[in-house]
Amino acid sequence: MDAIINAPSPFDIEFALPSTAVAETETTVEAEAEVVPTTPSYEVGTTVTITVQQPETNKPDITLNGKVGDNLRKTLLANQDI
């Protein structure tokens, strides 16, 4: 969290989506061509779950709720556990 709070503005941040395990199966070239990777997109105002990991402090992960479009720094600072 400190890295986000103390970062210069603006800054780049990378978000990770939960992995969804998919069993490997044989596919044909035609089937592979039909698969279009998509990145989930959310409407502004949609409630999302944010997991804050703090490995350098050995604190457990914290789960917060926020809304798409909210200021991430303000959302993090509003949580007293971080």
Side-chain angles (χ1 to χ4, degrees), residues 8-25:
S9 183
F11 69 99
D12 293 325
I13 189 167
E14 181 179 328
F15 294 96
L17 297 173
S19 64
T20 53
V22 177
E24 288 190 35
T25 58

Side-chain angles (χ1 to χ4, degrees), residues 2-67:
D2 288 337
I4 293 172
I5 299 301
N6 297 326
S9 183
F11 69 99
D12 293 325
I13 189 167
E14 181 179 328
F15 294 96
L17 297 173
S19 64
T20 53
V22 177
E24 288 190 35
T25 58
E26 289 187 31
T27 57
T28 63
V29 174
E30 294 81 15
E32 287 179 352
E34 293 176 12
V35 175
V36 177
T38 59
T39 301
S41 61
Y42 302 93
E43 297 283 330
V44 172
T46 303
T47 300
V48 294
T49 301
I50 302 166
T51 301
V52 179
Q53 297 178 327
Q54 305 176 86
E56 65 278 351
T57 64
N58 293 321
K59 291 182 181 178
D61 292 354
I62 297 171
T63 303
L64 311 171
N65 288 319
K67 291 187 178 182

